[in-house]
Amino acid sequence: MSLPPLASGPQGPTGDLRPLLDTVLDALRTGTRARGGPLPAGGPTAVAARIDHALGDVLPAEGDPHALRDLVHALAEGAADPAHPLCAAHLHCPPLAVATAADLAASALNPSLDSWDQAPAASALEARVTRALAREAGLTDALVTTGGTESNQLALLLARERHGPRLRLVHGANAHHSLPRAAWLLGLPDPLALPTPTGTLDPTALHHALTDLTGPVLVAATAGTTDAGLIDPLPDIAGLAGTHRARLHIDAAYGGPLLFSDRHRHRLTGLDTAHTVTLDLHKLGWQPAAAGLLAVRDPTDLTALHHATDYLNADDDTHAGLPDLLARSPRTTRRPDILKIAVTLKTLGRTGLAALVDQVCAHAQTLADLIHDHPALDLYDRPTLTTVLFRPTGATDDTVAALRRRLLTAGHAVLGRAHLDGRLWLKTTLLNPHTHPRDLTTLLTLASEGPTPA
């Protein structure tokens, strides 16, 4: 039996990789055509049945030469396609083609960023690009993470190591669930969650809380809430944190890329006052997952992550000048997610990235206008970022929930849901710069009338 080909080697990629890529692209095309919309029709049972049919025996006695074609087709046919303009529920972006192509190169070369001798060029690239992105936020350095959840967990870990195990997390009820969960994982005291009746953290409530608390405190603010895309009043919160000598973390996983836009970056005023900032470019950054970052103001905070093991970062190797990569993450094996980010930054430049940010923010305003003028729909509020909430006029929460599920099951549209002001709202998160106003009109027609029976 001949050995299966490798993706790369001393001679570089061989001729064996190109036909496989052709197979993948063809299967993506046919699978997408078979799906015919933003989501596969039929719901979970029908999708699982199609996957079972394509998969068959998971580990057959003899290999199947058509497995790549069949399974990629099945995955594409059963995908929620974030590049479809009617797929607009979550912070689930359509990745840029150039970033996806760069990700292929990362997979073929397969550097592992846990020691320099496994990733010489990738480690140098990561060092340059992470520091540049940290400077965009007004900070000093940044670590690559798997996304907002890991970044928030790391922020609490670094704060705990700096201030001790009695550190108390204070956050708004609007904060991402990963923050209180991180406090639980790290064995910190129960967090103090402040009510956010207007959707953002109230400086007056924060002032009262900080006045009453004793011991070390970490204040967590949000720049881009999950439910409504709102931004906490960062300058006021930063001032209070400074006055009360509290550490400040800002979760800008959603809103952070506004930094690229001259038109919108003022919304992030105060970001540079934080001790740590969560950024996430597989949301409003058009990267294939994962592409998260945690930026830090004081690079000495990162010494808490130092870990020595002789086969990866022996002291004599480090003293001889080989970079110590274990101190850049609590993970060991790490793929070079920085490559696709670097390629995107270099290819589009600040102007190109700003145009994408401005475009999707403009789409949100257009959608809000359409809802405001629609006789059968209610708008929650004008959007801050790219999230727009609405609901059919006079509908009950049960009706709203059922409408969303009918659209999902029919494969016609992917809308999210959010509970705010005591009511259930349909949620759109517009991250596709190629969306056209007619797509937004179609989305609202489906949301107001429901799917047409088959």
Side-chain angles (χ1 to χ4, degrees):
M1 182 183 74
S2 61
L3 294 174
L6 301 176
S8 190
Q11 307 303 320
T14 68
D16 296 304
L17 185 57
R18 188 175 298 278
L20 294 176
L21 298 182
D22 290 339
T23 297
V24 167
L25 293 174
D26 185 62
L28 287 172
R29 178 182 57 82
T30 60
T32 300
R33 182 180 299 167
R35 186 181 67 244
L39 199 73
T45 301
V47 173
R50 288 193 289 268
I51 288 294
D52 286 344
H53 176 75
L55 185 59
D57 188 350
V58 174
L59 186 61
E62 300 295 331
D64 179 358
H66 302 299
L68 177 65
R69 180 198 65 196
D70 293 346
L71 291 179
V72 172
H73 174 102
L75 192 68
E77 182 180 5
D81 184 2
H84 194 289
L86 301 185
C87 186
H90 301 287
L91 286 163
H92 179 202
C93 74
L96 293 166
V98 70
T100 305
D103 221 21
L104 168 65
S107 293
L109 294 168
N110 205 30
S112 180
L113 280 146
D114 51 319
S115 66
W116 181 87
D117 58 351
Q118 297 176 81
S123 61
L125 183 68
E126 183 177 89
R128 283 285 310 277
V129 176
T130 51
R131 286 168 191 152
L133 286 169
R135 288 195 295 271
E136 286 294 314
L139 303 183
T140 304
D141 200 357
L143 304 178
V144 176
T145 71
T146 55
T149 293
E150 185 187 354
S151 294
N152 287 339
Q153 290 173 352
L154 270 175
L156 265 67
L157 173 64
L158 298 181
R160 186 193 69 179
E161 295 306 292
R162 176 70 78 173
H163 298 283
R166 293 179 54 247
L167 179 74
R168 186 82 180 273
L169 171 65
V170 178
H171 63 84
N174 62 345
H176 193 262
H177 65 85
S178 61
L179 283 161
R181 193 178 191 204
W184 166 71
L185 285 168
L186 294 168
L188 295 175
D190 289 342
L192 176 60
L194 301 178
T196 52
T198 63
T200 57
L201 187 55
D202 176 23
T204 301
L206 179 61
H207 169 69
H208 291 316
L210 294 178
T211 300
D212 293 339
L213 288 172
T214 59
V217 172
L218 173 63
V219 175
T222 304
T225 60
T226 304
D227 278 345
L230 303 178
I231 297 175
D232 287 337
L234 303 181
D236 292 340
I237 293 170
L240 287 169
T243 297
H244 292 273
R245 308 186 74 172
R247 187 178 175 97
L248 177 61
H249 171 66
I250 298 177
D251 178 1
Y254 181 7
L258 294 187
L259 290 168
F260 298 129
S261 168
D262 289 341
R263 185 178 301 172
H264 294 290
R265 67 177 296 134
H266 70 277
R267 298 176 183 271
L268 298 180
T269 298
L271 195 71
D272 59 345
T273 64
H275 294 81
T276 50
V277 172
T278 289
L279 301 169
D280 197 346
L281 297 178
H282 60 242
K283 292 182 172 67
L284 197 60
W286 301 282
Q287 299 299 294
L293 296 140
L294 177 70
V296 298
R297 182 201 297 177
D298 184 353
T300 64
D301 279 349
L302 301 181
T303 59
L305 296 178
H306 175 72
H307 180 73
T309 185
D310 192 65
Y311 78 101
L312 293 176
N313 61 345
D315 286 344
D316 58 319
D317 279 348
T318 302
H319 291 152
L322 297 186
D324 177 2
L325 302 186
L326 282 187
R328 304 293 298 176
S329 175
R331 292 176 285 146
T332 304
T333 300
R334 290 194 297 117
R335 73 190 306 274
D337 288 316
I338 202 65
L339 175 61
K340 61 199 173 194
I341 297 172
V343 167
T344 299
L345 298 177
K346 188 77 173 173
T347 301
L348 273 67
R350 187 180 301 279
T351 301
L353 286 165
L356 295 181
V357 170
D358 294 347
Q359 182 84 333
V360 292
C361 288
H363 288 335
Q365 296 298 330
T366 298
L367 180 59
D369 289 340
L370 292 171
I371 296 167
H372 180 270
D373 295 338
H374 198 291
L377 296 173
D378 294 337
L379 176 67
Y380 174 73
D381 202 354
R382 302 298 307 186
T384 299
L385 293 175
T386 68
T387 300
V388 184
L389 304 180
F390 67 99
R391 53 182 282 136
T393 302
T396 65
D397 285 358
D398 287 344
T399 299
V400 172
L403 169 62
R404 174 179 172 272
R405 287 191 292 270
R406 287 201 306 274
L407 291 171
L408 293 176
T409 303
H412 289 179
V414 188
L415 295 172
R417 52 185 287 162
H419 270 286
L420 290 170
D421 289 350
R423 292 191 290 172
L424 180 64
W425 299 83
L426 297 172
K427 179 174 74 169
T428 60
T429 309
L430 301 176
L431 300 180
N432 187 345
H434 290 274
T435 298
H436 190 275
R438 64 174 173 269
D439 300 316
L440 302 177
T441 301
T442 299
L443 195 63
L444 296 185
T445 299
L446 288 168
S448 58
E449 299 176 0
T452 302

